[in-house]
């Protein structure tokens, strides 16, 4: 071994192994003076001279594949598939429910009332159960609790026939006294929950009744009040005012119903420029009220008549406030959550409570109990939002038709009265009464 260290260069040390055929391996060191640091590093490890970004990518490509990462990815895919399978039925039930909620309701006529109180209504309602959105929405919880009851019954049966050792696996049974004590509490919860939802439904119906009545009264006052002081400038403003009044319930309906098309519903009521302003506004009902206010300001009216007409606008504001309150403030969530949790715990323990008395009958008993009690709770949840339950489309359409008919009848009646006045004899009797 010979080591040479020149004064003008770095040390280059190379260890080479030479193997000769049928000879013992020998190790030699060769020394050279024309070397650089990069050559030395390249010979020691080629990755040391790569750029930092390429080095990171290259080193990352040499990461070993661990069995734990592969097993975790496979387990996560299996869990995702299992969750998607378990959510298939609830998602389907929710879609059916939402389609039912978005269906348009109709106002009842005489024939529908006769059918509604028919003696065969129970048979008709029973055979239409599979098409009821309330019944279909109960499929996930009823199936879940019925399957759980079947699992409890199967487990107890295996223990009783000694397929499972009783000393390690006890029979799941309990006294029914706890259910006898808590049954009235559950009944009161369901009754109060449904009653509170029905009260919201009645409040929403009353609010819309006031809105429709105000629309009719407002249109009548506009036709009568503006007619007496009619001038050439009042004619187009009066027509626009009547259109704005008829458009208000339509805009309010689109405001409280999900997935409503304001442009489609108002295209036959408003002019194009007015329609664009309403559609682009953040609050279309208040935008229509602003149109009504500005129209009243442009009309040439007496102050007393103007005050009467403007007083109707406050009824519109009141209707908006009531509808938005019912939309934005549900029944206290703690009450809803308590009712739901009570129902779940009740049906989870029901097979254990009824096992001694019913044995395998706990399965149909749990099915009937879950279908009945969850149905009552579901009805309360559905009518808690009252506006999809109301026939708002028919109400708006009927208001529009009634006002149009009032305008036509008003013009006809006025023409007849004017004709009678013109044809009446002008000569009067001495006592002041007209001659017959």
């Amino acid at each position: 071994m010979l080591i040479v260290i020149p004064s003008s260069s770095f040390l280059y040390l190379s260890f080479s192994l030479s193997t000769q055929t049928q000879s013992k391996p020998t190790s030699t060191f060769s020394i050279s003076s024309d070397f650089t640091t990069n050559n030395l590093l390249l010979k020691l490890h080629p990755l040391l001279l790569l750029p930092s970004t390429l080095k990171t990518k290259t080193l990352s490509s040499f990461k070993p594949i661990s069995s734990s990462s592969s097993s975790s990815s496979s387990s996560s895919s299996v869990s995702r598939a299992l969750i998607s399978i378990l959510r298939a039925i609830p998602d389907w039930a929710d879609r059916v429910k939402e389609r039912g909620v978005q269906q348009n309701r109709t106002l009842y006529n005489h024939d529908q009332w006769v059918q509604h109180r028919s003696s065969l209504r129970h048979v008709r309602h029973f055979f239409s159960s599979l098409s009821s959105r309330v019944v279909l929405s109960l499929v996930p919880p009823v199936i879940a609790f019925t399957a759980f009851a079947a699992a409890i019954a199967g487990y107890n049966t295996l223990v009783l026939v000694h397929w499972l050792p009783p000393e390690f696996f006890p029979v799941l049974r309990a006294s029914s006294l706890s259910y006898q004590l808590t049954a009235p509490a559950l009944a009161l919860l369901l009754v109060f929950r449904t009653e509170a939802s029905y009260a919201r439904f009645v409040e929403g119906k009353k609010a819309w009744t006031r809105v429709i009545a105000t629309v009719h009264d407002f249109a009548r006052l506009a036709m009568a009040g503006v007619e007496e002081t009619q001038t050439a400038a009042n004619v187009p403003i009066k027509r626009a005012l009547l259109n704005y009044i008829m458009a208000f319930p339509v805009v309010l309906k689109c405001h409280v119903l999900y997935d409503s098309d304001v442009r489609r519903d108002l295209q036959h009521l408003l002019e194009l420029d007015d329609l664009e302003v309403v559609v682009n506004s953040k609050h279309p009902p208040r935008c229509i009220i602003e149109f009504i206010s500005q129209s009243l300001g442009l009309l040439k009216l007496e102050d007393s008549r103007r005050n009467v007409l403007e007083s109707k606008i406050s009824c519109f504001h009141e209707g908006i406030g009531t509808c938005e309150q019912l939309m934005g403030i549900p029944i206290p969530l703690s009450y809803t959550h308590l009712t739901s949790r009570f129902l779940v715990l009740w049906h989870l323990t029901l097979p254990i409570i009824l096992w001694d008395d019913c044995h395998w009958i706990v399965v149909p008993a749990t099915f009937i109990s879950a279908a009945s009690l969850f149905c009552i709770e579901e009805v309360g949840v559905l009518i808690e939002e009252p506006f999809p339950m109301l026939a708002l489309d028919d109400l708006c359409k009927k208001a529009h038709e009634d006002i149009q008919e009032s305008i036509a009848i008003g013009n006809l009646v006025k023409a007849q009265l004017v004709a009678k006045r013109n044809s009446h004899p002008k000569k009067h009797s001495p006592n002041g009464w007209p001659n017959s």
Side-chain angles (χ1 to χ4, degrees):
M1 177 182 296
L2 180 61
I3 300 176
V4 179
I5 306 178
S7 59
S8 61
S9 61
F10 294 94
L11 175 64
Y12 176 76
L13 179 62
S14 173
F15 179 75
S16 63
L17 299 177
S18 61
T19 306
Q20 299 179 358
T21 308
Q22 297 180 356
S23 63
K24 295 181 179 181
T26 59
S27 60
T28 60
F29 291 95
S30 61
I31 302 171
S32 174
S33 61
D34 55 344
F35 69 96
T36 61
T37 308
N38 290 341
N39 292 334
L40 176 59
L41 295 175
L42 183 61
K43 289 180 178 293
L44 292 178
H45 201 296
L47 292 177
L48 296 177
L49 294 180
L50 293 175
S52 59
T53 55
L54 294 177
K55 187 187 306 181
T56 304
K57 294 181 180 179
T58 307
L59 292 176
S60 62
S61 63
F62 287 100
K63 289 182 179 179
I65 300 176
S66 61
S67 59
S68 61
S69 61
S70 60
S71 62
S72 63
S73 61
S74 62
S75 63
S76 62
S77 61
V78 171
S79 62
R80 286 194 299 268
L82 182 60
I83 291 174
S84 62
I85 293 174
L86 293 177
R87 286 189 58 88
I89 295 179
D91 291 343
W92 166 79
D94 290 341
R95 288 193 297 269
V96 172
K97 185 194 304 183
E98 292 304 319
R99 284 199 301 267
V101 169
Q102 295 178 8
Q103 288 180 354
N104 291 330
R105 271 64 180 176
T106 58
L107 295 174
Y108 265 35
N109 52 29
H110 176 70
D111 295 334
Q112 289 174 318
W113 278 113
V114 171
Q115 186 182 13
H116 179 72
R117 55 178 176 261
S118 173
S119 301
L120 297 176
R121 65 183 182 275
H122 304 292
V123 178
R124 184 177 66 251
H125 296 164
F126 177 77
F127 284 105
S128 63
S129 298
L130 295 180
S131 61
S132 172
R133 57 189 174 90
V134 176
V135 174
L136 294 178
S137 64
L138 298 178
V139 171
V142 171
I143 289 180
F145 290 116
T146 304
F148 183 78
I152 294 295
Y155 166 81
N156 286 342
T157 302
L158 293 177
V159 174
L160 291 177
V161 299
H162 297 286
W163 283 20
L164 294 176
E167 57 271 12
F168 297 106
F169 299 93
V171 176
L172 298 179
R173 63 181 72 179
S175 173
S176 61
L177 180 61
S178 59
Y179 265 45
Q180 296 175 9
L181 295 176
T182 57
L186 178 60
L188 290 176
L189 274 176
L190 290 176
V191 169
F192 290 158
R193 176 70 172 81
T194 308
E195 182 65 24
S197 298
Y198 182 72
R200 291 170 56 86
F201 173 79
V202 172
E203 186 178 358
K205 183 180 66 173
K206 289 181 178 179
W208 267 92
T209 301
R210 290 192 296 268
V211 167
I212 297 299
T214 303
V215 167
H216 283 91
D217 197 20
F218 203 165
R220 180 187 61 83
L221 291 175
M223 289 185 292
V226 180
E227 190 70 26
E228 296 181 359
T229 59
Q230 186 173 2
T231 61
N234 278 349
V235 174
I237 302 300
K238 176 186 175 182
R239 293 176 182 174
L241 175 62
L242 290 175
N243 288 333
Y244 298 147
I245 294 173
M246 290 185 289
F248 178 78
V250 179
V251 174
L252 184 59
K253 182 259 300 183
C254 295
H255 184 64
V256 299
L257 290 182
Y258 173 74
D259 201 17
S260 297
D261 192 349
V262 181
R263 185 184 299 274
R264 180 195 60 196
D265 294 341
L266 290 180
Q267 60 183 352
H268 301 299
L269 284 174
L270 300 181
E271 297 180 357
L272 185 59
D273 51 351
D274 296 340
L275 181 60
E276 291 298 327
V277 174
V278 173
V279 171
N280 295 328
S281 64
K282 294 183 179 180
H283 200 289
R286 299 193 188 280
C287 182
I288 287 292
I289 290 179
E290 186 64 26
F291 272 108
I292 295 174
S293 299
Q294 295 295 335
S295 300
L296 291 177
L298 294 176
L299 288 174
K300 297 180 179 180
L301 298 172
E302 298 177 358
D303 292 339
S304 59
R305 295 186 179 276
R306 189 185 306 277
N307 293 333
V308 172
L309 291 174
E310 289 181 350
S311 65
K312 300 299 177 181
I313 298 180
S314 62
C315 297
F316 285 167
H317 283 291
E318 182 181 355
I320 294 175
T322 303
C323 292
E324 291 183 344
Q325 178 184 0
L326 291 174
M327 286 174 55
I329 305 176
I331 293 176
L333 296 180
S334 57
Y335 195 94
T336 303
H337 296 167
L338 175 62
T339 306
S340 178
R341 291 163 184 160
F342 204 149
L343 280 173
V344 170
L345 291 177
W346 178 276
H347 289 92
L348 285 178
T349 56
L350 184 62
I352 301 174
I353 299 297
L354 298 181
W355 174 253
D356 286 337
D357 298 329
C358 301
H359 292 280
W360 274 92
I361 305 299
V362 298
V363 178
T366 302
F367 174 83
I368 295 173
S369 176
S372 303
L373 298 182
F374 276 97
C375 184
I376 298 174
E377 195 263 347
E378 183 69 22
V379 170
V381 172
L382 286 177
I383 65 176
E384 184 179 358
E385 185 184 3
F387 305 115
M389 303 293 107
L390 299 174
L392 298 185
D393 284 324
D394 282 4
L395 285 175
C396 296
K397 183 178 179 181
K398 189 174 184 302
H400 178 262
E401 293 174 354
D402 291 345
I403 292 174
Q404 292 288 352
E405 185 180 4
S406 298
I407 294 174
I409 292 178
N411 294 332
L412 179 60
V413 171
K414 178 183 176 182
Q416 291 183 357
L417 293 177
V418 170
K420 289 181 180 180
R421 185 184 62 182
N422 294 335
S423 63
H424 197 277
K426 297 182 179 180
K427 184 178 179 180
H428 291 75
S429 61
N431 59 2
W433 292 95
N435 296 324
S436 58

